[in-house]
Amino acid sequence: MPLSPSAEEQRRWLALARASIASAWQPQPLPELALGEQVADLFVTLHIDGELRGCIGATNNDRPLAQSIAYLARQCAFADPRFPPLTEAELARCHISISVLGPKRPLPANDRATLEAELCAGEGLLLRQDGRQAIFLPQVWEGVGSTGEFVDALMRKGGWQHWSPRMQAQSFDCLVVQEGLEP
């Protein structure tokens, strides 16, 4: 079932993410969300002054959406290995976004040229090979110039030096909920 949260529901999702992070310094009850047991793959991303400050997600999620938002917000703030743990002062400057992944669609990946021909600019991409995976959300397209550059950067992220015929690829769209923008 596709998600189409109202503007008020989106504000509640963001409030839950922010309160979940803030509870590390000031324990507080977290806002309740009426999402039931709905499950979705999602990512929580933090930016400060336009720069990435953390991004953690789940691509095979089995937690209800509200639990996932709270858990991944904390993980993003305190457990992204690329950054030191977020400080309370930094949280006040953070811009939070939640990306809910739509259904993943297999792409032909026998060779890189075929993948690049099938991948549409603006789609997210998940690559898997031999138990390793790397993912770029659709928003990453804003920082790259071409499909080739997008795939190059994702391969570097995944630690792959060369394309393999064992590579598996999936594309997806996202519902992005972010602070500071009205839906």
Side-chain angles (χ1 to χ4, degrees):
M1 167 205 274
L3 291 172
S4 53
S6 69
E8 180 58 31
E9 289 169 322
Q10 290 182 33
R11 281 190 284 278
R12 286 187 195 131
W13 291 10
L14 293 163
L16 173 61
R18 185 168 288 281
S20 176
I21 295 167
S23 70
W25 302 288
Q26 298 171 356
Q28 58 187 303
L30 296 179
E32 298 269 337
L33 298 183
L35 294 170
E37 295 299 308
Q38 189 164 9
V39 173
D41 293 345
L42 65 99
F43 280 73
V44 175
T45 306
L46 302 177
H47 285 90
I48 295 178
D49 301 328
E51 296 294 321
L52 181 67
R53 182 57 178 82
C55 183
I56 297 283
T59 58
N60 291 304
N61 195 20
D62 59 358
R63 289 186 177 105
L65 193 58
Q67 286 180 14
S68 294
I69 291 170
Y71 173 76
L72 293 171
R74 285 189 303 273
Q75 291 295 108
C76 180
F78 305 114
D80 187 326
R82 298 170 293 179
F83 302 97
L86 193 74
T87 66
E88 191 171 6
E90 286 177 311
L91 179 58
R93 298 175 33 230
C94 271
H95 172 89
I96 299 173
S97 64
I98 300 166
S99 300
V100 181
L101 280 59
K104 297 180 203 81
R105 297 174 297 282
L107 290 177
N110 294 339
D111 61 72
R112 184 178 165 148
T114 302
L115 172 72
E116 289 184 17
E118 293 290 324
L119 181 64
C120 295
E123 290 183 319
L125 180 61
L126 173 65
L127 295 178
R128 287 188 174 118
Q129 180 192 330
D130 300 332
R132 197 169 33 178
Q133 76 175 26
I135 189 168
F136 271 164
L137 298 174
Q139 301 91 300
V140 174
W141 281 99
E142 296 169 14
V144 297
S146 70
T147 302
E149 290 174 22
F150 185 81
V151 173
D152 281 343
L154 185 54
M155 287 185 64
R156 278 191 306 276
K157 180 181 180 184
W160 296 294
Q161 307 231 343
H162 305 285
W163 194 263
S164 165
R166 293 186 316 276
M167 188 75 74
Q168 297 175 332
Q170 296 175 304
S171 66
F172 57 90
D173 295 315
C174 279
L175 166 68
V176 180
V177 175
Q178 54 188 331
E179 292 177 326
L181 296 178
E182 289 300 315

